[in-house]
Structures are given as structure tokens and as C-alpha cells.
Amino acid sequence: MAVILMMIAIAMPQNASAACSHTATAENATYDWAGSNVKVGKCVAKLYCSKCKALLETVTLTVSSKSYIEPTCETEDEQIWKATGKSTKYPSITYYSESTTYTWGKKGHGTKGYNAVYSWTGNYMDAHCFMQLTCLDCRQMVCNIAANTVEKDPNGHKEPTCTLEGKETWVATFDIDMKGYVTYKSQNSKAFATPCNGHGNTLNYTPTYTWSTNASNPTCKLTLMCNDCHNNVLENYPMTVVEAEASRVEPGCEKAGQAVYNAKYTFTERVYESRRYAAKSDRTYELAACGHGHTEGYTPTFSWTGNEIEPLCDFTLKCNDCSKVVVNAQKVTPALVEGSRVEPTCEDLGSIDFSVTGNYSTTKDASFKETNKHTFSIRRKGHGLKGYKADYTWAENYEDRACSLTVVCLACNKKVIDNKSLELVEDEEEHVDATCEEDGHAKFSVSGEFIEPGFSRAKYSGTSSKEYVILAFGHDIDENSQCTHCGTSFKDPEIFELNEDEVYEAVASHVVDGMIYNRSFNGGIWNTWYVPFETSVEKLAESYVKAAYIESVHNYDDDKDGTYDRTVLNVMTLSNGNIHAGTPYLVMADCNLDKIELGKTTMAAADDVKNIRMKSASHTFDIIGSYCGIDASEMTANTNFTLDEEGMMNVAEDALAPYRWAIKQTNGQIIADEANNVKALQILVIGEEDQETGIRTIYPANEQKTYNANGIFDLNGRKLDVARKGVNIVNGKKIVK
């Protein structure tokens, strides 16, 4: 179809004004395109006056510069013409025009053919095919359509076997009307695999069993043939072999046995798992006689006789499987073990080792070889070849009277008798009984003896004696406060109270059920302690009181001028044990107390006084305790010291209250120079040197009054002009600078 896009015809007036002076420009021209298709390209330009519209000229233009756009499957082609020319009357005017013409129309699909892509679904039993058709001109998909027919190809059929797949070929036919375009016809085929039948489909299987000949490790291998294809589906395949229950007859060492074994295996066809075949077979094996010693081995017996001089040994071997003796009392020759001899001592045996080797070997039985060692004892020498040393140990007092004997062998220095208790024999003629208040005495003797077992030549015998003092046993007071021995009457209260300002005057030692000691104690301060009753460290601890005993005394020359500057009284705290009556101690309460309550205790006699005397190089120190106190006339300045109410060492110029103690110094025998008299006394608690309670405040004897009033002192008791770095005692108080 041809279309003329631009056809312009303008009718000009027939009678133009003759008087018009014609003028025109290119815009006053019109163009007439002639022709009905692309093969005719003509154009005529007509020029009109711009004033009167008269036709001035007609010019046939030159048509050139043809432009062509190819048609596609679905779009038409396009041609463009260009017309140009010059005016014959007006040289300045150039004519130009373009024309667009559609001529042949679109091509349509399939002029260059099609490209077909086939897709199959289904299987060998039911197949389907689809085709995608693409135009080779424009590369567009024009359809996706199912086949007109899909049929089996009789020449494309192949039957499956047991192991190989078969084949079924399907052919798809397409006959497509493209509705105005080029039509399309084609065929396509597809081969689908037919599954294999699997072994044993119709005629099942034939098994073949191959058993091993070795009864110790029975095995069975299965060869399984498919009866359909006569091929082996299994060949020499190991089966599961188990021993039949209760079938075994065990062989003996010399008698054969038997065992029945079952072999089983279930074959599953790899394609059709539901198709199975159970293969099974039985086999009876003879179990050969095992021979001696193969299972449980042997039990050897080495019988040693003789001695270290002439050792003898017999070898017997029994089979542990059948209990039969295979070697009966065979004599073997002992050999000395080098370096094994151990010499005997007084009481220990010596020893020497010998060894033998027992052998047993046959072609049928298990072999045996074992070495056995035996130790022979060498007779000991016995104690006392060089004599003995004897020690008799007697108890110190009559109440604990006893004697023990220790005997030492002089050859080996070993105690053949170690602290052995001996029976005491009393000399009746020497015995004097004690009374409540009078001591008696008794004499005892003992006999000691030691005989070395097996050596009658080595023995010891001896005697010893000791005389004991039998202490007065004191009064035994009954419920009527009367001594059951001598009849002396004692009226003591059931609970005894001891006051610090009362004098204790008991005439004899006695036991009270309870006691209260009334005395004021300042917490954290040491106090002197000298009391007439017994107690224990643990009992004092229940009242929050600790105790210390006096250990030693030492002099010190601090300024190295040849005279003593201070004397230290060393004390040590007690952690356990008893606090004895009539013995000086130091005690400290953890808090303020006004009394100490004790349970049942023993009260000493009022005159049961035990003072302590200690010596240094230049002085003798007597620690004097008193139940009734000491008068001031007996207390001398610079020679007597005690603790004051603040727990500090002080010159004892006043009377000493009851149940306390004081220290009195006198010149010793080595140095008797008054210049060396003690000027200051210090108490040191051993183990607490770095604590505040370790070193107590010191009062110099010749500075006592000044110190109590006002002054500065160091910890050694020396008066200072000014306080120094460290700890100072200022007006009775410790100050750290």
C-alpha cells in the first residue's frame, strides 16, 4: 500500500492585477509530489506572488538523497525523498521539499525460518512434549505449544534385563498454522529408560556355600547365582558365622571335641529392596585335642630342701587344663645367685639366694620354662658376744614407785630390753608408814635378767634398790569436817572465799568444792600472783585470765660504761598445765574483774611457802611471796621491786598486800660494788617483744618521785631532757614521736 504524505495544490486567481509589481520568497512556493509508489519520485515547485498571489513560475525539481528503512516482521518499511532546485526568474530563491512514503508494509514471521526447542516430560510409560518456536528474523518467541500427537516408535523399543535398563522411544508431531505467517511442521523423538528387572525376578537364586577347614576360625563364603540371567550376584561373600547354641563339645588336652556353626546372610536386590533371599548353612567341625598347657597354662611347684650349705630342689609341673602332672618331682640343680649373700647380725638372720630353672617341652604340648629363686637363712650371731650395759630407772616419788630396766648389747648398741617394768620387792623391815602430818619411808629392790634366745652363753643378770620417802598424806576430812585418820576436826565452808585483804591461815592442806578469789584486776595489766590454792591455765582462761611464769634475770650495760644500767626479768606465758599454790606468777585479765570463780580445788597450808631465787653475775634476786602481806619496814628502797596498780615495775617502799610477791636484790659474790646496784628493773614477756604488753614501763629507783610527778623517760627508764624519736613515757603515758 502506497501513501502520499504531502500533496499540496493551491489555486491561484485567474486575473492578476496587471499593475502589481510581483515579489516572492521561498516561503511563497508550493510543491506537488507526483507518483503512486516508491518507484516514482517527481516533484514540481510553484512560486506565487506574495502580494497578489499570482503564479509566477513552475519548476520541476531534482529528486535525490533517497533514505530507506527496511521493514521488519511486524513493522512496515519507510522511504524519504528530498527535492531541490533553483528559481529561473528569481535567482535568490532555492526550492526544497521532503516527502515520507510507506510502501510495501511489514514482512511477517518465518521468512528466514524458525528455531524449535523441544522439552519432554513424563517417562517410558507416558510422555509429553512441548515446543518453543523462535523466529529467525526477529529472534522473538512466537509460540510455546504442545505437540499435536505423541506416539511410541515401534522401532525404538528395547526390553530391560536383570541388570541393564531397557528403552522406549516416543515421537512428537507438530503441525502449526501461523495465522498469516509461514506455517511450521516438525517431529521430535525422546528415548526414555525402562528400569531393569533386578535379579531373581522370576526364577529366584541358587546358593553355593564354601566353608573354611580351620575350626579355630570358622568362616563361610556365599556365591549366589541369579536363575534368570545365570550371573553371580554375590561371589565368595563373607557370611555371618555364629556358633550354634549348646552345640560345643570342648576338646580335652588329649581328647578331640566338636562345634557346630551356623552361617547366615540375607541378600537384598539393589534395585528392588523388597526382593530378598535368606541364605543359611550349617557346618560341624572337629576340635582337635588341645594338648597340655595351651589354655590355662601350668602350675609349677619347686620344693626346696637342705640348707645354705647344701641346697636341694625338686620340680613338679601340673597342667591347669586337665590337672594332670606332666613332670613329677624332677630333681634340678640349684645355682648360687651372685652377690646375694647378706651377713647375719646379733638379732637379724643373714640370707643367701639360690635359683633353679624348670623346663618342659613337647611337639604336642605348650612349652614351659620358669626360673625360681629361694632364700636360705643364715643363723644370726646373737646379742651379748661383747657383753651388755644395764640401766635401772626409778620413779622419783613413792606414789609413782616403779623401776624399769634397759639393757644394751655392746656389740650392736641395740636395746635388747627397752624400759621394761620390773617387779618391786619391798624390804618389810625398812618400812615406816606415813601419817597425816608425818613422812614415812620404804625400801624396794628389783632383779633384772636377759637371756638371748638360742644362745645360752649370752645372758645378763643384775639387781638395784631405792629408798622412797612416803609423804604425809594429809587429813581426810569427812562430811562432819573431821579427819577420818587422826580425828582432827576442820570446819571449812563448802564454798571457800578468799579476799585480797584477808590473811589466809589454814593449818593443813585440804580440798574445797568451790572457791571464789575476790580481788580487783585491771584489764590488760600484769599483776603479781602468789596464792594458796591450785588451779589450771585452762580454768583461768575461762575467767579471761592468762598466766606467765618467771624464767630468768639478766643485767645490761646499755651505755657501755662498765656499770649496769638496767636489769631484765624474763617471763614466759603458759598455754596449759597447772598453777601451783605458793608459787609466784604473773597474771593478766582481758577485762576489768573483781573476782575469779574456780571449781573444786586444793588449798595449801598457810606455811606452804615456795620462794624463787635467781642469780646474775653481780646480784642475787629473791622472789618473796606472802599470803599475809609484808610490812613496810621490811621493804627497802632500791632493793625491793614489785608491780604497781598500773602493772608497772615500781620500787617497793610501802607494805606489800597479801597474795602478791616482791623482788629483793642483794649483792652477789662476784661483784660487790654498790655502783652496780640495780637502778632500773624491766619485765620482758618472751615472745611478745614487739607488742605493747611485751616491755612494761620502768621506774628508776633513784628517780621514783620525780617520775611519778612529772618527767620524760625512754623505755629503759632513763630520764630524758626532751622527747626523742620513737616511744617516750611522758607523765606516766606512752607517747610516740
Side-chain angles (χ1 to χ4, degrees):
M1 181 176 63
V3 179
I4 305 300
L5 294 180
M6 188 176 291
M7 297 285 293
I8 302 174
I10 301 175
M12 299 300 296
Q14 296 295 319
N15 296 315
S17 176
C20 180
S21 58
H22 300 296
T23 61
T25 63
E27 285 77 11
N28 299 120
T30 63
Y31 302 91
D32 292 334
W33 285 87
S36 60
N37 53 50
V38 296
K39 295 182 179 180
V40 178
K42 296 180 180 180
C43 184
V44 176
K46 294 179 178 181
L47 184 64
Y48 295 90
C49 175
S50 60
K51 294 179 180 181
C52 64
K53 308 301 180 183
L55 178 61
L56 300 181
E57 68 175 350
T58 300
V59 179
T60 300
L61 302 179
T62 301
V63 178
S64 63
S65 301
K66 176 182 178 182
S67 175
Y68 179 70
I69 298 175
E70 290 289 339
T72 67
C73 295
E74 296 182 341
T75 62
E76 296 179 334
D77 61 347
E78 180 181 311
Q79 298 182 83
I80 301 174
W81 299 82
K82 180 171 70 175
T84 60
K86 284 285 189 177
S87 172
T88 58
K89 294 181 178 182
Y90 304 96
S92 62
I93 295 176
T94 299
Y95 296 107
Y96 176 82
S97 178
E98 287 186 356
S99 174
T100 301
T101 302
Y102 293 96
T103 56
W104 301 107
K106 55 187 177 181
K107 294 180 179 180
H109 293 296
T111 57
K112 292 183 180 180
Y114 297 95
N115 179 49
V117 177
Y118 302 93
S119 59
W120 286 85
T121 60
N123 53 42
Y124 72 98
M125 300 176 65
D126 184 19
H128 304 276
C129 185
F130 292 84
M131 179 181 67
Q132 259 187 14
L133 203 60
T134 303
C135 174
L136 294 177
D137 294 288
C138 62
R139 302 298 178 182
Q140 293 184 18
M141 186 180 72
V142 295
C143 67
N144 184 8
I145 192 168
N148 295 88
T149 61
V150 179
E151 297 176 339
K152 291 183 179 179
D153 182 358
N155 296 322
H157 176 75
K158 181 182 178 181
E159 287 293 330
T161 67
C162 292
T163 58
L164 299 177
E165 295 178 338
K167 183 177 70 171
E168 194 71 63
T169 303
W170 293 80
V171 179
T173 302
F174 295 87
D175 188 358
I176 303 171
D177 182 2
M178 301 303 291
K179 297 180 181 179
Y181 304 129
V182 178
T183 58
Y184 186 82
K185 293 182 180 182
S186 70
Q187 280 189 336
N188 187 259
S189 63
K190 170 74 173 180
F192 289 91
T194 304
C196 62
N197 294 326
H199 293 293
N201 183 30
T202 56
L203 299 178
N204 213 319
Y205 305 91
T206 297
T208 301
Y209 303 98
T210 304
W211 284 86
S212 66
T213 59
N214 187 358
S216 62
N217 184 24
T219 61
C220 184
K221 294 183 178 179
L222 170 66
T223 298
L224 195 64
M225 183 185 74
C226 173
N227 293 332
D228 294 314
C229 64
H230 300 288
N231 290 319
N232 290 337
V233 296
L234 292 175
E235 191 167 355
N236 289 327
Y237 186 85
M239 300 179 70
T240 301
V241 177
V242 295
E243 186 176 349
E245 186 175 355
S247 67
R248 176 175 285 266
V249 177
E250 294 292 343
C253 293
E254 301 172 340
K255 182 180 179 181
Q258 71 174 26
V260 179
Y261 289 89
N262 305 132
K264 294 182 180 180
Y265 178 73
T266 300
F267 172 74
T268 301
E269 218 293 314
R270 67 180 183 86
V271 178
Y272 299 96
E273 294 184 357
S274 61
R275 192 180 300 160
R276 297 183 178 183
Y277 178 81
K280 57 183 179 179
S281 178
D282 298 333
R283 171 70 184 268
T284 301
Y285 287 94
E286 180 181 288
L287 305 178
C290 16
H292 294 294
H294 280 290
T295 305
E296 298 294 330
Y298 301 93
T299 298
T301 302
F302 295 89
S303 300
W304 289 86
T305 57
N307 52 44
E308 75 275 16
I309 305 300
E310 187 179 356
L312 301 173
C313 184
D314 289 341
F315 170 57
T316 299
L317 191 66
K318 183 180 74 173
C319 173
N320 292 337
D321 298 313
C322 64
S323 300
K324 182 177 179 180
V325 176
V326 296
V327 177
N328 188 14
Q330 178 183 2
K331 293 188 177 298
V332 287
T333 303
L336 174 67
V337 177
E338 293 296 332
S340 65
R341 183 179 180 89
V342 178
E343 293 297 333
T345 64
C346 292
E347 61 179 13
D348 295 327
L349 297 173
S351 65
I352 188 169
D353 295 337
F354 291 89
S355 66
V356 294
T357 300
N359 285 290
Y360 176 74
S361 178
T362 68
T363 56
K364 178 182 178 181
D365 301 332
S367 60
F368 174 86
K369 183 176 183 180
E370 183 176 303
T371 298
N372 183 260
K373 187 176 71 172
H374 182 74
T375 301
F376 285 94
S377 297
I378 302 175
R379 189 168 185 243
R380 64 190 179 89
K381 296 179 179 180
H383 292 293
L385 293 179
K386 295 183 180 180
Y388 300 94
K389 176 185 176 182
D391 288 322
Y392 294 88
T393 303
W394 289 87
E396 290 297 323
N397 52 62
Y398 176 79
E399 289 76 12
D400 301 327
R401 58 189 177 276
C403 183
S404 62
L405 171 64
T406 298
V407 177
V408 178
C409 172
L410 294 178
C412 64
N413 292 321
K414 183 170 183 178
K415 296 177 180 178
V416 296
I417 297 178
D418 187 8
N419 202 29
K420 178 184 178 182
S421 295
L422 301 178
E423 181 180 357
L424 275 63
V425 178
E426 184 177 5
D427 186 348
E428 299 292 342
E429 296 180 357
E430 295 288 335
H431 184 85
V432 176
D433 288 330
T435 65
C436 293
E437 298 180 356
E438 296 286 337
D439 292 340
H441 60 268
K443 184 177 181 180
F444 296 91
S445 63
V446 292
S447 297
E449 183 179 65
F450 172 74
I451 299 176
E452 173 67 9
F455 298 87
S456 58
R457 70 184 185 280
K459 60 183 178 180
Y460 164 81
S461 62
T463 60
S464 179
S465 62
K466 181 176 177 64
E467 186 172 339
Y468 283 105
V469 174
I470 306 175
L471 297 177
F473 47 77
H475 298 284
D476 184 10
I477 302 173
D478 60 15
E479 66 275 5
N480 297 319
S481 300
Q482 187 172 355
C483 178
T484 58
H485 297 299
C486 63
T488 303
S489 177
F490 299 92
K491 281 291 184 180
D492 290 334
E494 191 174 71
I495 300 299
F496 188 86
E497 284 200 45
L498 182 64
N499 298 318
E500 67 173 336
D501 56 351
E502 294 179 356
V503 175
Y504 179 69
E505 296 179 343
V507 297
S509 174
H510 59 283
V511 178
V512 295
D513 293 332
M515 198 213 64
I516 299 174
Y517 181 29
N518 295 309
R519 176 174 169 181
S520 296
F521 294 94
N522 292 330
I525 294 176
W526 288 105
N527 295 265
T528 60
W529 176 279
Y530 186 86
V531 295
F533 55 82
E534 301 285 337
T535 185
S536 66
V537 172
E538 291 81 4
K539 197 65 179 177
L540 284 178
E542 293 176 6
S543 298
Y544 306 101
V545 176
K546 68 178 180 178
Y549 69 91
I550 300 169
E551 196 272 342
S552 60
V553 63
H554 293 283
N555 295 319
Y556 292 91
D557 180 10
D558 294 323
D559 55 8
K560 311 300 182 183
D561 63 352
T563 60
Y564 296 131
D565 299 301
R566 61 188 175 97
T567 300
V568 176
L569 185 68
N570 296 307
V571 298
M572 182 174 289
T573 55
L574 291 164
S575 59
N576 53 52
N578 291 329
I579 302 296
H580 301 288
T583 304
Y585 295 95
L586 289 174
V587 297
M588 177 190 289
D590 292 341
C591 57
N592 293 342
L593 299 175
D594 56 8
K595 64 180 177 180
I596 297 176
E597 295 187 17
L598 302 171
K600 185 175 182 179
T601 187
T602 300
M603 303 298 297
D607 58 352
D608 189 7
V609 177
K610 296 178 182 178
N611 294 333
I612 295 178
R613 169 166 287 188
M614 293 182 294
K615 292 183 178 182
S616 68
S618 60
H619 294 86
T620 297
F621 296 89
D622 287 322
I623 302 176
I624 305 170
S626 175
Y627 298 152
C628 59
I630 301 176
D631 190 79
S633 61
E634 299 181 22
M635 305 296 285
T636 307
N638 299 329
T639 60
N640 290 281
F641 298 85
T642 189
L643 293 180
D644 66 5
E645 61 184 5
E646 296 183 0
M648 297 180 290
M649 214 67 202
N650 198 351
V651 176
E653 296 181 322
D654 299 326
L656 185 69
Y659 315 116
R660 292 162 174 79
W661 52 262
I663 298 176
K664 181 178 182 181
Q665 65 162 332
T666 59
N667 288 338
Q669 297 178 356
I670 299 176
I671 301 173
D673 187 353
E674 288 190 4
N676 272 324
N677 280 350
V678 175
K679 302 177 179 62
L681 188 61
Q682 172 182 323
I683 292 180
L684 176 63
V685 181
I686 298 173
E688 299 182 5
E689 293 86 346
D690 296 332
Q691 301 180 25
E692 184 179 352
T693 58
I695 301 176
R696 308 310 303 169
T697 306
I698 304 148
Y699 284 75
N702 57 356
E703 302 253 353
Q704 177 66 32
K705 295 180 180 179
T706 304
Y707 179 81
N708 285 335
N710 191 10
I712 302 172
F713 296 84
D714 63 14
L715 286 179
N716 290 326
R718 291 188 290 266
K719 188 173 183 181
L720 306 174
D721 296 330
V722 294
R724 298 178 181 175
K725 185 176 181 180
V727 180
N728 298 272
I729 302 172
V730 181
N731 299 331
K733 296 183 178 179
K734 288 185 178 180
I735 304 296
V736 179
K737 182 178 180 181

